[in-house]
Amino acid sequence: MGKYFDKLMEDVRMREGLTSCMNCGVCTGVCPSAEFYHYDPRQIVSIVQTKDDDAIEELLRSDTLWYCGECMSCRPRCPRGNTPGYVIQALRRLSQELGFFVESEKGRQQLALKRTIGESILETGFCIYPKLISPQMHPEQGPVWEWIYENDTNVYPQFTPSYRTLGTGALRKIDDDTMGELHRIFEVSGGKRFFDLIEEHSERKAKEMGYESADHEYFIDIYTSNSGGHTLQ
Amino acid sequence: MKRNSWQEYQKEIADDNYYYVRSCIRQNFFPGSEKAFLDIMRNDVGKNVIEEATHTSCTGIGYHSDIVPMETIMTVVARQFALMTEAGFENFTSSCITSFGIYTEMLETWNEFPETEERTREYLYKATGREFKKPKNLAHTSDVMFKHREAIAAKMKKPLINVFTGKPLRVVEHIGCHYAKLFPKKGVGGSEFPYVLAGMIESWGGEVVDYPERRHCCGFGFRNYIVQANRGFSVANSHKKLESMKPYKPDFIVTNCPGCSMFLDKWQYTIAEMEGNTYGQDGRGIPVLTYEEMAGLVLGYDPWQLGMQMHQVDVEPLLDKMGVVYDPAAKYLGPNGKFIGNPELASVNLNCTPTPTMRTL
Ligand code: SF4
Ligand code: SF4
């Protein structure tokens, strides 16, 4: 009893985010995810507070854990000073450490996030860059974005002296020394290990699900598929 | 609530000498706004703002997508502070609300849990050989503009007044969740009495319009937008806000966070294509501006030099109301007036029925 809770308490966000919950539901009342998904942050906090290993493990393996948008709207409103969003961040960390995230459809999406945002950080030094936002993957961006995407070398230089080249300014190419420092930070602080962990667990799960590996096909499937039943309407 | 409740949430904002860091989202979608911020602060207000090529993303989108561990982002943040320290600066200003939330959260965590600061210093030294001092002052770039709003007002060429009616333009503002919900005392007006943009709007002649869902999230939700399968969450939240503001007939929306700007702009396109609904008064979309674009227009900058052609919802109806002189034919031209083609038309700008371009989400 309490082994997952103890593990969670190693995360400072848990210590900051959970004192004692009185189950009032104010967090759920302001939560944009609770309006859209079958989701109730009050219940998450309540489960964690029981310290029940079985119940926490079920949460770590569930879709429920992945509905929160980390907007932190719950933080200023909780009458007890809790932050359900922080508790969720700690749970998500643990779910990935233990490999439980691959057991749910929404959890498996962590690989898509690692392959898009994560790899962009290590390749460009930015979370996103124009070529990552392809109109094919982003039809909602509309025709003006498509025009920018196709004419990037004509559009961006109007606003930056160093589009994809060295120098200061928006969307510059970041120099090799800086990228080297960023990579070493990821290695020293555990970021690289965490990326590898996401890949390894996804690879295992992909094979279990009948894919050859967690290759492009698996990536596209987890990035696009929605089995339904997650939302209220 | 008392009209001046925001004043209980005052924050200190440095007056000059800022160390500036860019935003992944803003530089992608609104690079003209970042340029405008630097131009306005340096040339119109006369402040010292430096930018160095050696800074990187704060990795905040990765952190809030739960792929970048807290120890890692803390060390990246520490490296940015080390660059500031080495450059001899003490006032740090970030062009992104996600980043601003990140910098604030990491500083607060170091205060609350000093062992995390110690560990970060070790990691940073080991990875880069660098050391850092914490900033004396941390501000979002909109805080800086808010601080100097009267200096901008003194040079105003086009106030936020409707030239046809002589009345103030009606503006809805959106400060973005991570500006003040994380640490209300660190944002002007806190999360309940948002004043950072409202203060600019008032100083520049406009009228701030309140509406029921003013504080609701724009719907970014990190993984809830980035992963295609989850995007329904994102559009549903923007939809809720747009429906709520429509009856108040805003002339434009202004946002603090570049993500919110992008979503409130692009989801209007999507909603128009999918459902035929628009939210402006003329059957078209509501223009969505960054605060730098708002300041730029007020100061008489050319809208295309501000990058407003990169919006999906046309800004021309607003430009006309403000009496801004612009060349419609120059909107989509490349460098040196080169023709590079035009984007396809979209129903959000047409005041007509949806086009069949939007098939899937
Ligand atoms: S608002 Fe706070 S006390 Fe109330 S249910 Fe949520 S976490 Fe518990
Ligand atoms: S942080 Fe998560 S739980 Fe809290 S209000 Fe936002 S979506 Fe809901």
Side-chain angles (χ1 to χ4, degrees), chain A residues 75-227:
Chain A
R75 181 167 158 86
R77 292 282 177 87
C78 171
R80 283 283 176 86
N82 300 322
T83 308
Y86 281 0
V87 174
I88 286 150
Q89 285 182 298
L91 285 160
R92 287 176 173 180
R93 166 88 178 248
L94 187 62
S95 175
Q96 291 174 96
E97 292 281 359
L98 299 173
F100 292 156
F101 70 104
V102 296
E103 302 308 331
S104 68
E105 176 183 319
K106 296 290 182 194
R108 283 193 284 278
Q109 294 170 343
Q110 287 309 100
L111 180 74
L113 292 159
K114 183 262 165 190
R115 293 249 179 106
T116 50
I117 306 298
E119 285 175 16
S120 174
I121 292 170
L122 293 183
E123 273 165 33
T124 66
F126 304 122
C127 288
I128 57 165
Y129 58 95
K131 286 298 172 200
L132 190 65
I133 309 156
S134 73
Q136 203 188 358
M137 298 290 210
H138 290 270
E140 78 289 344
Q141 285 285 335
V144 174
W145 176 255
E146 197 172 340
W147 170 81
I148 295 166
Y149 183 86
E150 278 160 13
N151 291 290
D152 63 325
T153 53
N154 282 313
V155 174
Y156 285 106
Q158 298 178 54
F159 311 106
T160 170
S162 50
Y163 181 58
R164 300 174 71 181
T165 58
L166 295 172
T168 55
L171 295 168
R172 66 201 185 280
K173 177 180 159 44
I174 293 183
D175 65 89
D176 292 345
D177 288 348
T178 298
M179 288 308 296
E181 288 190 24
L182 191 61
H183 279 245
R184 280 198 300 284
I185 287 174
F186 267 73
E187 270 154 34
V188 167
S189 63
K192 177 76 174 52
R193 184 194 66 89
F194 204 72
F195 279 9
D196 292 345
L197 204 65
I198 294 172
E199 286 285 346
E200 284 158 24
H201 288 299
S202 302
E203 179 76 12
R204 167 177 62 77
K205 187 67 189 179
K207 286 186 173 144
E208 199 184 303
M209 289 170 73
Y211 292 87
E212 238 167 67
S213 68
D215 58 5
H216 190 63
E217 193 193 340
Y218 177 78
F219 164 79
I220 291 293
D221 284 353
I222 59 162
Y223 179 78
T224 57
S225 66
N226 184 330
S227 64

Side-chain angles (χ1 to χ4, degrees), chain A residues 13-27 41-42 45-46 49 72-87, chain B residues 181-182:
Chain A
R13 292 169 298 193
M14 265 290 285
R15 280 183 262 159
E16 179 67 30
L18 178 60
T19 44
S20 88
C21 166
M22 61 179 177
N23 252 297
C24 66
V26 167
C27 52
R42 177 194 56 86
V45 174
S46 178
Q49 203 172 235
M72 303 300 168
S73 300
C74 47
R75 181 167 158 86
R77 292 282 177 87
C78 171
R80 283 283 176 86
N82 300 322
T83 308
Y86 281 0
V87 174
Chain B
K181 285 177 183 171
L182 278 154

Side-chain angles (χ1 to χ4, degrees), chain A residues 35 37 70 75 77 96 106 109-110 125 130 137 140-141 147 156 171-172 181 184 189 223 226, chain B residues 27-28 55 57 64-66 72 79 127 130 178 182 192 223-225 229-231 240 266 341:
Chain A
E35 268 182 65
Y37 290 119
E70 298 193 12
R75 181 167 158 86
R77 292 282 177 87
Q96 291 174 96
K106 296 290 182 194
Q109 294 170 343
Q110 287 309 100
M137 298 290 210
E140 78 289 344
Q141 285 285 335
W147 170 81
Y156 285 106
L171 295 168
R172 66 201 185 280
E181 288 190 24
R184 280 198 300 284
S189 63
Y223 179 78
N226 184 330
Chain B
Q27 66 175 359
N28 258 265
H55 77 283
S57 166
H64 283 298
S65 300
D66 305 280
T72 302
R79 182 178 176 277
R130 294 181 195 269
H178 287 200
L182 278 154
E192 303 292 350
R223 68 188 334 279
N224 284 310
Y225 171 75
N230 305 343
R231 272 176 213 156
K240 185 181 166 104
K266 301 296 170 55

Side-chain angles (χ1 to χ4, degrees), chain B residues 67-81:
Chain B
I67 55 164
V68 172
M70 195 177 202
E71 296 83 351
T72 302
I73 194 165
M74 272 184 180
T75 316
V76 174
V77 163
R79 182 178 176 277
Q80 313 275 69
F81 291 160

